[in-house]
Amino acid sequence: MAIFKKVGMMLLATYVAGAFIALFLLSRWIFPRMVMYLKPVVAIIAGIILFVMLLLAHLYIHPQLDTAGFKLRGINFGASDADDAIDVAISELMHGRYPYYAKTFYDNPITPMPGTLLYALPFYALGCSALQNIFWLVVFYLLLCKYAADVRVATILVFSVVILSPNLVYHVMQGIDYLSNNIYVLAMLIMFTQTLRAGKPFWQPAIWAIGLGIALSSRLNYILLLPLVFFFVLYRKNLKAAFIYTTLIVLVFSGVTLPFFLYDPPNFSPLHTAGFLKTGEGEFPWHLILPAAGGGRAIVLGWRNRSAQLSTLLASCFLVESIVIVGGLVLVSVVKARLNLYYPHFGVLFMFFGIFAFGPRVFRSQSGTISPDSTRHMRTKKHHQEETLACIY
């Protein structure tokens, strides 16, 4: 968004066409063969090199972009105040002041919710909250290695995301927290569901449920995932467990969020992002319809996931979250009679659900790689077809 809206629609169209063609060619022919011939030790080394390069690039580039912006082909691009919002809010909180009275250096309100501040606190203590993006990308990679059951698949997927998504690289370099928000919600959700399905004692899933409750208090759109969690526990365990764990998540979310909201509701600035769909020129009164559509979709998809499979759950998360963002993009563009580029960069808030749910599947037919739900045995063809149809629905 920050790049293409300034350099022109022709470059945007070229990138979109090129990325789709590249993804098709890579996923259809190249990636499966890479999995077949790439040695796991080489994949691990490549993954380490990738993250070291990202870290070094971040440490070198981020300080230059943080307040001064950058130039590309003679065009000036402004700095981002996303990490500044987190740093300022945590600083105010550490000094015993209400964090949402503060403003960023652009004089913008603080939009991250309390859960974001809690997850960013360790990195703020290290001197740079923006480092959380690198950390959570590593966590995402490790989760892929474990639940895709093949380090080669995980390495290729992460490489493809970094190389083909200038948006992700831009967020990492600028220190924008959206991808961290998505990944720690994803990580807590995966660990909660997997300890639950493994029959662990109550306290183990409860710990991850607490982490999930805090993670949901990062961006308001993640509240829409609660019905999916409820139905997953219902089908995996029973109605009692579904109520207990969902209630625990809601209580943690409320315990983290409500004290800040109730202290001064009119000045709880994260809510200003939910009051309207921003068009860049005014307000667009669909702020209740799109979340309601997403919530309704979550209920339907949660109820349909009777197999309580992880990949289906994450695919449902992707579809539910995409309704709000894609719906906003379409509606605003229709109203303004032109493509509006405000919404696309919000895709980082949910795209990792889709990568985790669908990414490993592109390798299965030719390489025999198993999916996140198949770490112990290969599924039958019929089971795979039924699961794919469930994800589509």
Side-chain angles (χ1 to χ4, degrees):
M1 184 272 296
I3 297 175
F4 289 126
K5 74 177 182 180
K6 291 191 175 183
V7 298
M9 297 301 294
M10 182 58 68
L11 183 58
L12 172 61
T14 302
Y15 162 73
V16 171
F20 270 104
I21 293 172
L23 280 171
F24 173 77
L25 295 176
L26 290 170
S27 63
R28 180 64 179 86
W29 286 292
I30 300 175
F31 285 167
R33 286 163 177 77
M34 288 178 65
V35 172
M36 293 174 64
Y37 298 109
L38 183 65
K39 293 183 179 181
V41 65
V42 175
I44 294 174
I45 294 173
I48 294 174
I49 292 174
L50 173 65
F51 288 113
V52 170
M53 290 177 62
L54 279 176
L55 177 61
L56 293 176
H58 173 84
L59 293 175
Y60 175 74
I61 297 174
H62 175 69
Q64 301 180 49
L65 300 182
D66 201 24
T67 56
F70 66 100
K71 285 187 177 181
L72 181 65
R73 298 176 63 182
I75 302 175
N76 290 319
F77 295 88
S80 169
D81 60 355
D83 62 320
D84 183 64
I86 294 175
D87 293 339
V88 168
I90 293 178
S91 177
E92 291 294 292
L93 189 61
M94 298 292 286
H95 287 87
R97 296 188 289 267
Y98 187 62
Y100 295 108
Y101 288 150
K103 302 286 186 179
T104 70
F105 64 81
Y106 275 145
D107 200 35
N108 289 326
I110 306 297
T111 59
M113 292 180 64
T116 299
L117 305 184
L118 292 178
Y119 271 102
L121 184 58
F123 304 95
Y124 173 83
L126 292 174
C128 182
S129 65
L131 283 173
Q132 65 177 325
N133 286 330
I134 305 294
F135 173 82
W136 288 109
L137 277 172
V138 173
V139 170
F140 177 74
Y141 175 64
L142 295 176
L143 287 172
L144 269 177
C145 290
K146 178 174 176 60
Y147 291 107
D150 196 323
V151 67
R152 300 168 299 174
V153 171
T155 302
I156 293 172
L157 281 175
V158 172
F159 261 92
S160 66
V161 173
V162 172
I163 292 172
L164 293 175
S165 177
N167 195 23
L168 181 142
V169 176
Y170 177 76
H171 279 229
V172 170
M173 295 302 116
Q174 288 279 29
I176 303 172
D177 59 305
Y178 292 174
L179 72 90
S180 292
N181 299 155
N182 186 183
I183 296 176
Y184 54 63
V185 171
L186 170 70
M188 296 301 117
L189 184 59
I190 290 175
M191 297 308 299
F192 168 67
T193 56
Q194 295 312 288
T195 53
L196 189 73
R197 69 181 295 184
K200 301 294 184 180
F202 170 82
W203 64 270
Q204 291 190 30
I207 289 176
W208 297 111
I210 292 171
L212 179 58
I214 298 173
L216 294 183
S217 180
S218 58
R219 299 285 171 178
L220 283 171
N221 53 293
Y222 293 128
I223 299 299
L224 299 176
L225 303 181
L226 280 174
L228 296 172
V229 175
F230 175 84
F231 281 106
F232 184 94
V233 181
L234 173 65
Y235 293 136
R236 178 58 62 178
K237 293 293 183 180
N238 51 56
L239 183 60
K240 179 181 178 181
F243 273 113
I244 291 175
Y245 284 114
T246 306
T247 301
L248 176 60
I249 294 170
V250 171
L251 287 176
V252 172
F253 169 85
S254 302
V256 170
T257 309
L258 286 182
F260 293 92
F261 172 72
L262 294 177
Y263 181 84
D264 191 349
N267 287 299
F268 185 65
S269 51
L271 290 183
H272 95 279
T273 60
F276 57 89
L277 292 179
K278 187 175 181 181
T279 66
E281 301 177 11
E283 295 186 357
F284 189 62
W286 292 85
H287 59 282
L288 296 179
I289 293 179
L290 290 177
R297 188 62 168 162
I299 293 173
V300 172
L301 291 174
W303 178 73
R304 286 175 178 263
N305 186 19
R306 295 178 180 272
S307 62
Q309 298 289 350
L310 175 61
S311 59
T312 308
L313 171 65
L314 298 182
S316 299
C317 293
F318 174 81
L319 294 173
V320 168
E321 293 294 326
S322 67
I323 286 178
V324 179
I325 306 305
V326 176
L329 170 65
V330 172
L331 289 171
V332 171
S333 298
V334 169
V335 167
K336 297 300 177 183
R338 57 181 171 78
L339 180 62
N340 186 286
L341 292 180
Y342 175 76
Y343 274 88
H345 74 291
F346 287 120
V348 181
L349 286 171
F350 64 88
M351 75 176 191
F352 290 95
F353 292 123
I355 295 168
F356 201 102
F358 298 111
R361 299 183 184 190
V362 303
F363 304 97
R364 182 186 301 168
S365 61
Q366 297 186 46
S367 65
T369 300
I370 48 183
S371 72
D373 292 313
S374 307
T375 57
R376 294 185 179 180
H377 62 278
M378 293 297 291
R379 293 196 182 112
T380 63
K381 181 177 181 181
K382 180 178 179 181
H383 191 173
H384 171 52
Q385 291 172 341
E386 291 174 349
E387 180 184 293
T388 303
L389 288 174
C391 286
I392 294 173
Y393 289 133

